[in-house]
């Protein structure tokens, strides 16, 4: 009997852990999208107000971001530029996307917007560069709103699903 | 470097073509510069950030670390008749800066009045590439540092470096030696810069180059009235050509410059051709005008 109880507890814990993981992923996506929005706004400020060159601007942005994984992305772009591995900033940005894709909870659409933000990066005049960053930020804002809505709508569902699926397995096995 | 054309290296000794393995004699052996090369070089020069150097690019040049410069040509984008930006670059001219310390020693006795311990208002005149800026930079350095042994004091020198040619500033820091008491206002329009410096830095000597626009001339007059000395340059082959420019003729006629120094590259850049006393030149110009009248 004791073994059955322990087994049931283990199954319930595992299903709860799984549901929490799904919730955390949804929450992380919202936080990361918001962090990317903030990053793009900060980058626009560096471009618009102080005309700071990209490597230094990206470093500044990375320093100011609270979300570690997003900060690491901006650091990676900065490093790619400093190491001069790429012929332009677009290449450096896209390479950072490839390198950091696994560490972030973003969807294909989110990545597509971030990839588009790299088009012409550093190769445009100040006004055009600002427009480009603002456009990407607006698109990310829409994604973030959608992600927040998805999170709010699915949080309870995942929680119940975790408990109920755990219970279902326990009942089936017992 | 011109897109689609051979890579050329120009030195004092003349013109050379550059191939992938070094100097070559014939243009067809030289490396053909591509538009991609130019774009890549430009991005490298701007730290992958064209927007950060918009103002310089608009004027067709970039200041580089070490005081070097790169000039550009390409497609000009206009906005309300003014150059908004330069795009689709088709050539880059990298100019290696050379500081010639002591180049202006020969000019110093004419520019500095030892009895009054004052710097004379001086105009250096020469055709392009005859060493005006090199001389001006060295004069600024010599006057700024002073020479305690000869009793020449160091002056507070202020440079308005509209095109970053005098001090070769990169990210605001002078890359060339312009003296220990020298303040540099980099990338600022001359007329505005001269007035800013006079108000904020109380300079004894104001240095700027390539005088020509009417507003520059008005600013020079203002600076002279504040008691600071003016050292500046103008493009011209001789005095006749100089006085054909109304704004400069006005300054010369009014005797604003105490010395007008003509330079050439007859015996190398910075050859002193003639030194005019400003008062005499002014008198001569006025007589000429009366005669014509």
């Amino acid at each position: 009997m004791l073994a059955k109880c322990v087994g049931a507890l283990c199954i319930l814990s595992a299903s709860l852990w799984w549901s929490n993981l799904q919730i955390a992923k949804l929450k992380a996506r919202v936080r990361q999208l918001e962090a990317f929005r903030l990053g793009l706004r900060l980058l626009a400020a560096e471009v618009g107000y102080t005309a700071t060159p990209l490597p230094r601007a990206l470093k500044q942005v990375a320093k100011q971001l609270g979300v570690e994984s997003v900060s690491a992305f901006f650091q990676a772009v900065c490093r790619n530029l400093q190491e001069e591995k790429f012929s332009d900033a677009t290449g450096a940005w896209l390479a950072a996307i490839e390198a950091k894709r696994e560490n972030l909870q973003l969807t294909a659409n989110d990545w597509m917007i971030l990839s588009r933000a790299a088009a012409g990066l550093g190769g445009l005049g100040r006004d055009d560069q600002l427009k480009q960053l603002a456009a990407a930020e607006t698109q990310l804002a829409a994604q973030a709103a959608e992600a927040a809505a998805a999170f709010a709508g699915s949080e309870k569902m995942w929680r119940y699903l975790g408990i109920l699926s755990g219970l279902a397995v326990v009942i089936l096995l017992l | 470097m011109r897109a689609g054309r051979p890579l050329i290296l120009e030195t004092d000794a003349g013109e050379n073509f550059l191939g992938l393995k070094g100097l070559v004699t014939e243009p067809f052996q030289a490396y053909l510069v591509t538009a991609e090369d130019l774009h890549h070089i430009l991005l490298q020069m701007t730290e992958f950030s064209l927007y950060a150097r918009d103002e310089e690019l608009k004027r067709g040049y970039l200041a580089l670390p070490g005081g070097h410069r790169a000039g550009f040509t390409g497609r000009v984008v206009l906005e309300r008749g003014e150059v908004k930006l330069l795009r689709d670059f088709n050539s880059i001219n990298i100019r290696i800066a050379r500081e010639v310390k002591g180049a202006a020693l020969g000019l110093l006795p004419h520019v500095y009045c030892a009895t009054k311990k004052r710097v004379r208002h001086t105009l250096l005149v020469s055709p392009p590439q005859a060493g005006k800026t090199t001389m001006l930079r060295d004069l600024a350095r010599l006057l700024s540092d002073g020479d305690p042994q000869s009793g020449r004091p160091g002056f507070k020198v202020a440079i308005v470096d509209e095109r970053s040619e005098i001090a070769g500033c990169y990210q605001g820091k002078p890359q060339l030696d312009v003296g220990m008491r020298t303040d540099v206002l980099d990338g600022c329009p001359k007329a505005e810069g001269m007035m800013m410096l006079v108000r904020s830095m109380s300079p004894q000597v104001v240095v700027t180059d390539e005088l020509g626009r009417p507003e520059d001339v008005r600013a020079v007059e203002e600076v002279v009235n504040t008691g600071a000395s003016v050292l500046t340059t103008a493009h011209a082959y001789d005095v006749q050509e100089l006085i054909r420019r109304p704004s400069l003729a006005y300054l010369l006629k009014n005797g604003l410059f105490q010395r007008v120094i003509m330079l050439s590259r007859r015996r190398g850049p910075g050859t002193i051709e003639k030194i005019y006393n400003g008062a005499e030149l002014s008198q001569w110009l006025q007589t000429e005008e009366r005669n014509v009248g």
Side-chain angles (χ1 to χ4, degrees):
Chain A
M1 189 62 193
L2 183 68
K4 280 183 180 177
C5 283
V6 171
L9 268 175
C10 285
I11 290 167
L12 270 176
S13 309
S15 66
L16 273 175
W17 171 82
W18 174 73
S19 70
N20 280 335
L21 188 71
Q22 301 309 313
I23 292 166
K25 277 184 182 175
L26 287 173
K27 201 173 174 182
R29 182 179 168 226
V30 179
R31 283 183 63 226
Q32 287 165 6
L33 281 172
E34 287 298 343
F36 266 112
R37 278 185 68 198
L38 177 62
L40 291 182
R41 280 205 301 271
L42 290 169
L43 189 59
E46 294 283 348
V47 170
Y49 294 115
T50 50
T52 314
L54 271 179
R56 268 177 288 155
L58 290 162
K59 206 173 177 178
Q60 285 297 328
V61 171
K63 264 188 205 166
Q64 293 175 67
L65 289 177
V67 180
E68 186 60 35
S69 49
V70 179
S71 173
F73 170 82
F74 283 96
Q75 274 170 9
V77 185
C78 171
R79 213 171 24 251
N80 287 346
L81 286 177
Q82 283 171 335
E83 289 170 5
E84 297 183 1
K85 286 183 195 162
F86 300 91
S87 61
D88 56 21
T90 307
W93 181 282
L94 294 178
I97 286 182
E98 286 312 311
K100 300 290 173 189
R101 195 182 278 268
E102 297 302 313
N103 307 341
L104 292 150
Q105 303 304 326
L106 303 185
T107 63
N109 260 349
D110 303 337
W111 286 119
M112 200 172 69
I113 292 166
L114 281 170
S115 301
R116 279 206 297 257
L121 186 67
L124 302 169
R126 198 185 306 194
D127 294 343
D128 295 331
Q129 193 70 82
L130 288 173
K131 279 180 202 158
Q132 174 87 347
L133 291 172
E137 201 263 324
T138 309
Q139 284 179 303
L140 278 185
Q143 290 294 107
E146 178 261 313
F151 171 67
S154 336
E155 190 189 4
K156 273 186 186 165
M157 181 197 81
W158 281 111
R159 228 175 270 288
Y160 289 135
L161 197 67
I163 297 167
L164 293 175
S165 59
L167 283 175
V169 172
V170 169
I171 291 163
L172 278 173
L173 290 177
L174 285 176
Chain B
M1 284 173 278
R2 298 177 179 94
R5 281 168 282 174
L7 179 58
I8 298 176
L9 176 72
E10 209 174 287
T11 65
D12 279 348
E15 196 179 77
N16 296 288
F17 295 101
L18 270 176
L20 285 173
K21 288 179 182 165
L23 296 178
V24 291
T25 48
E26 299 299 326
F28 67 85
Q29 297 170 313
Y31 176 73
L32 288 182
V33 179
T34 64
E36 289 73 34
D37 290 334
L38 297 181
H39 185 66
H40 184 63
I41 290 166
L42 177 67
L43 285 177
Q44 293 274 337
M45 284 176 176
T46 57
E47 295 181 75
F48 303 98
S49 318
L50 292 194
Y51 64 82
R53 311 292 292 275
D54 254 6
E55 282 304 312
E56 284 170 275
L57 285 172
K58 206 158 80 177
R59 295 180 207 157
Y61 75 93
L62 274 182
L64 304 173
H68 313 298
R69 289 164 63 80
F72 297 89
T73 60
R75 187 173 56 84
V76 171
V77 180
L78 293 174
E79 193 175 70
R80 292 186 210 98
E82 284 193 4
V83 177
K84 186 190 172 200
L85 47 91
L86 200 57
R87 281 290 170 268
D88 304 332
F89 296 90
N90 53 37
S91 63
I92 302 180
N93 177 21
I94 300 174
R95 294 165 65 184
I96 308 296
R98 248 190 335 178
E99 214 172 0
V100 191
K101 285 190 180 176
L105 275 171
L107 286 182
L108 202 59
H110 305 283
V111 174
Y112 172 66
C113 175
T115 48
K116 292 183 183 169
K117 289 202 184 303
R118 261 194 71 100
V119 177
R120 295 183 176 108
H121 304 302
T122 305
L123 179 66
L124 303 179
V125 183
S126 83
Q129 303 227 302
K132 278 189 305 290
T133 308
T134 307
M135 290 296 208
L136 191 70
R137 182 188 306 125
D138 201 44
L139 273 176
R141 181 185 66 84
L142 290 166
L143 292 168
S144 171
D145 287 347
D147 182 12
Q149 284 178 341
S150 69
R152 176 164 46 83
F155 291 93
K156 278 199 283 177
V157 176
I159 298 178
V160 188
D161 203 358
E162 188 167 350
R163 291 173 60 87
S164 310
E165 277 179 317
I166 308 173
C169 282
Y170 180 70
Q171 293 175 355
K173 293 184 196 81
Q175 305 286 300
L176 304 169
D177 186 1
V178 284
M180 66 170 110
R181 296 179 187 86
T182 301
D183 306 303
V184 183
L185 199 56
D186 184 50
C188 182
K190 280 187 276 289
E192 221 175 317
M194 279 190 265
M195 296 323 297
M196 279 168 72
L197 284 171
V198 164
R199 287 187 203 114
S200 58
M201 305 306 285
S202 63
Q204 293 166 294
V205 182
V206 174
V207 176
T208 187
D209 66 352
E210 291 176 29
L211 213 63
R213 289 172 298 194
E215 59 266 32
D216 301 341
V217 170
R218 279 195 296 276
V220 166
E221 271 188 300
E222 290 285 328
V223 173
V224 169
N225 289 334
T226 63
S229 304
V230 176
L231 283 187
T232 186
T233 67
H235 279 308
Y237 281 86
D238 49 34
V239 172
Q240 273 69 31
E241 194 180 310
L242 195 64
I243 58 176
R244 276 201 289 272
R245 295 165 71 180
S247 48
L248 290 172
Y250 167 80
L251 286 178
L252 295 174
K253 218 159 44 191
N254 286 292
L256 239 91
F257 290 110
Q258 294 165 300
R259 292 289 181 271
V260 177
I261 299 171
M262 310 301 296
L263 301 172
S264 77
R265 51 181 305 147
R266 195 164 45 88
R267 290 195 304 274
T271 305
I272 303 169
E273 287 294 338
K274 195 160 186 176
I275 297 175
Y276 291 96
N277 179 317
E280 287 170 18
L281 193 62
S282 158
Q283 214 166 19
W284 176 74
L285 285 171
Q286 285 173 12
T287 316
E288 283 285 298
E289 200 177 52
R290 271 198 298 275
N291 290 343
V292 172

